[in-house]
Amino acid sequence: MGLGLEAVDERARAVVERRRAAAKRRRRGWLVRRALLVADVVGLVVAFCVAARLFRGGGAGDEVGGLTEVLAFAATLPAWIVLAKLYGLYDRDEERTDHSTADDIVGVFHVVTFGAWIFFVSAWVTGLARPGATRLVGFWALAIATVALGRVVARSLCRRSETYLQDTVIVGAGDTGQLIARKLLHHPEYGLNLLGFVDASPKTRRPGLEHVGVLGEPEELPRIVADLDVERVIVAFTSEPDERTMAIARSLRDRDVQVDIVPRLYELVGPRAGMHSVEALPLVGVPSVRLSPSSRLLKRAIDVVGAAALLTLTAPVFVVVALLTKLDSPGPVFFRQTRLGLSMREFTALKFRTMRADTDDAPHREYIRQIMDATAEANENGLYKLEREDAVTRVGQWLRRTSLDELPQLLNVLRGDMSLVGPRPCLTYETESFAPHHFERFLVPAGLTGLWQVAARAHSTFAEALEMDVSYARGWSLGLDLRLLCRTPLQMLRSKGTR
């Protein structure tokens, strides 16, 4: 057993020992690449077979091409895989902790579109097959769906394997390093097995991290990586000089280890920040937070269409919840509350009532003030959420657990008070605890779902939730909104009442 393992807490050490006991240790990249490759091939084959079945004789040229068409399609499968590889669809899971199929959708769309046209042109030029336009379009649409679904299933299965886990150490046990550690422990879906910190002068561990030990000093990092077979090193701010930190990071370049570096001024760097250079000197560009008129128009169009469709689909749910709420306790069906939206404009937010009528909000005010502190302790269940079981109704508990209490906010979206995706609509008194940069969250519309709801929910302090709201505002893009919308249903199912 390598040096330093005695400093690893019992849970993380058990994972390391089980993986060491395996006959041949594999890593996340090895597992996920093969699983995604199989998923892509199966998805394409299923789409081809279904399209051939559904669109048989659908028009001129839509007859099944027989054995030659099947052979032509089979012959092109390696080209599809190479194309997906060129788009980086097999490499990002090992590098990025939060990568998901939602992040692959654009790449899958491009690969399937480009591949379908290549197959169509090749088949016609060689004369091996005559795929009709109807069947080709059907195959294209089906392939996007089946490949994406296959990738969801493949990743879900991979995450159940210990091979997916990456043994991780954090260089720096200061405030930033401990913040990262807490986030890793609260998000097992990242698949990072936190072994401990590496720091010469560690700070006292914040609540919830007492069990995470210090494995050694930065000079010992290469040995620690070798002894514990570390797969990911996260370099946070340390007390070491910058030159020494760079030397430590460079010492790992010849090892099979992923190195992540927390940038200075990370509070200002959002997801949309881009890299450019001046005579090879890298610069990080911080884009403007404000949405352009065209972006506002596009976001609003998606909100109107999406909210109208969801309201139509959930109309029966509104009726059922209204009846249950009225039968459960006296009071109105809807809970109305003044919230702040775009440019701090006040509006009346609607929710299904989950608490008894005339419940005092003073305890919530005090709780918000307490959890603004980075050292605030979570509840016994690990959540930063005010528990008021005495005030929540029986139906309200179910509504909160399923997030159905927020359905009426679709009406706010339709009216233009909110967006489908954006920062959580905050209360007026919450701004009393804001730092100056937190007000940037009001440069975009408040949302029914958003980065905080998908990434953390009640696992974060109020201050951390505000930072995620600001990060969303700084990094807004249409793609980000679509990814968050795709992730929201899965997060609702996974959360199990952690709101």
Side-chain angles (χ1 to χ4, degrees):
M1 187 173 297
L3 297 173
L5 190 57
E6 64 276 3
V8 179
D9 82 282
E10 184 177 349
R11 182 199 59 80
R13 186 190 305 134
V15 174
V16 174
E17 291 176 340
R18 285 198 300 269
R19 298 178 72 187
R20 281 182 171 180
K24 188 174 182 180
R25 175 166 174 159
R26 305 291 190 182
R27 293 198 170 199
R28 177 187 295 188
W30 179 91
L31 174 68
V32 176
R33 281 192 291 270
R34 283 156 179 78
L36 293 179
L37 188 148
V38 172
D40 289 348
V41 171
V42 171
L44 290 169
V45 170
V46 168
F48 180 83
C49 294
V50 173
R53 184 75 175 176
L54 291 180
F55 303 107
R56 183 197 304 267
D62 272 348
E63 68 282 355
V64 178
L67 182 60
T68 56
E69 186 171 315
V70 173
L71 292 176
F73 174 73
T76 63
L77 280 177
W80 290 84
I81 301 306
V82 171
L83 190 59
K85 174 67 176 177
L86 293 175
Y87 269 89
L89 292 179
Y90 299 122
D91 303 323
R92 292 164 186 160
D93 291 80
E94 191 169 22
E95 301 170 1
R96 303 178 183 178
T97 57
D98 61 345
H99 193 72
S100 70
T101 302
D103 300 306
D104 291 343
I105 292 299
V106 173
V108 169
F109 176 84
H110 288 167
V111 168
V112 172
T113 302
F114 192 38
W117 276 106
I118 290 177
F119 173 69
F120 177 75
V121 172
S122 301
W124 275 88
V125 169
T126 60
L128 292 175
R130 291 290 186 269
T134 303
R135 190 159 72 251
L136 183 68
V137 172
F139 163 73
W140 169 79
L142 286 168
I144 293 174
T146 54
V147 169
L149 179 60
R151 284 176 161 256
V152 170
V153 174
R155 284 192 169 97
S156 177
L157 294 175
C158 286
R159 289 189 175 108
R160 299 180 184 182
S161 170
E162 284 194 346
T163 303
Y164 184 81
L165 296 176
Q166 290 181 316
D167 293 330
T168 303
V169 298
I170 298 175
V171 180
D175 292 335
T176 302
Q178 293 192 40
L179 174 63
I180 294 170
R182 194 177 68 79
K183 290 180 181 293
L184 297 187
L185 294 175
H186 284 166
H187 291 278
E189 67 271 18
Y190 291 162
L192 301 184
N193 182 40
L194 180 58
L195 303 182
F197 295 105
V198 175
D199 201 329
S201 303
K203 291 188 68 173
T204 302
R205 242 75 82 229
R206 61 189 292 179
L209 297 179
E210 299 89 348
H211 65 287
V212 182
V214 177
L215 306 176
E217 299 186 1
E219 290 78 7
E220 302 175 271
L221 184 59
R223 175 190 60 78
I224 293 171
V225 168
D227 287 349
L228 301 182
D229 200 11
V230 173
E231 297 168 62
R232 184 179 292 268
V233 173
I234 301 176
V235 182
F237 306 147
T238 71
S239 57
E240 299 287 323
D242 289 344
E243 295 80 3
R244 182 58 186 155
T245 303
M246 286 190 292
I248 293 169
R250 287 169 178 159
S251 70
L252 301 175
R253 288 191 171 182
D254 61 342
R255 301 176 183 272
D256 186 15
V257 59
Q258 172 68 36
V259 179
D260 299 326
I261 299 176
V262 180
R264 297 288 181 182
L265 301 180
Y266 70 92
E267 298 91 342
L268 292 176
V269 179
R272 269 199 310 147
M275 295 292 295
H276 57 106
S277 64
V278 174
E279 289 190 356
L281 176 68
L283 301 176
V284 178
V286 180
S288 172
V289 177
R290 291 188 178 276
L291 273 61
S292 66
S294 59
S295 296
R296 288 183 185 275
L297 181 62
L298 182 59
K299 186 174 176 65
R300 181 60 186 150
I302 294 174
D303 288 340
V304 171
V305 173
L310 289 172
L311 281 170
T312 302
L313 292 173
T314 59
V317 179
F318 272 75
V319 175
V320 172
V321 172
L323 290 173
L324 292 176
T325 301
K326 293 297 289 184
L327 292 173
D328 187 41
S329 65
V333 170
F334 293 120
F335 172 68
R336 291 174 170 84
Q337 190 175 49
T338 300
R339 300 267 181 157
L340 300 178
L342 180 65
S343 302
M344 296 188 68
R345 181 174 61 84
E346 292 186 351
F347 70 94
T348 301
L350 299 175
K351 296 177 71 173
F352 283 124
R353 181 173 57 83
T354 60
M355 303 179 75
R356 305 190 188 285
D358 302 323
T359 300
D360 186 12
D361 67 356
H364 184 260
R365 286 174 179 258
E366 176 61 20
Y367 188 69
I368 289 296
R369 187 190 63 78
Q370 292 175 6
I371 62 174
M372 276 298 293
D373 189 344
T375 63
E377 296 190 35
N379 299 332
E380 293 182 359
N381 57 5
L383 305 180
Y384 291 90
K385 182 175 177 62
L386 180 62
E387 299 293 345
R388 304 187 69 182
E389 295 182 359
D390 57 327
V392 179
T393 65
R394 288 176 300 175
V395 172
Q397 292 175 354
W398 170 68
L399 291 174
R400 291 187 171 199
R401 200 162 47 241
T402 58
S403 294
L404 290 177
D405 60 319
E406 297 183 359
L407 269 184
Q409 289 181 3
L410 288 170
L411 296 170
N412 289 117
V413 174
L414 205 58
R415 292 191 316 200
D417 299 326
M418 296 173 59
S419 174
L420 288 176
V421 185
R424 182 185 67 87
C426 75
L427 297 159
T428 304
Y429 62 77
E430 290 176 343
T431 62
E432 297 171 3
S433 302
F434 279 21
H437 70 283
H438 289 155
F439 288 91
E440 292 180 21
R441 71 194 298 283
F442 296 115
L443 296 176
V444 295
L448 184 61
T449 186
L451 183 60
W452 169 77
Q453 293 91 328
V454 169
R457 292 175 80 85
H459 287 296
S460 64
T461 65
F462 182 59
E464 291 165 0
L466 287 175
E467 294 295 342
M468 280 182 268
D469 286 342
V470 173
S471 179
Y472 168 83
R474 290 171 175 168
W476 181 87
S477 68
L478 178 61
L480 176 60
D481 273 9
L482 294 177
R483 289 194 296 273
L484 292 175
L485 284 173
C486 290
R487 291 185 180 186
T488 297
L490 295 176
Q491 179 61 33
M492 289 170 61
L493 293 174
R494 187 186 297 128
S495 62
K496 297 180 182 180
T498 60
R499 295 181 53 242

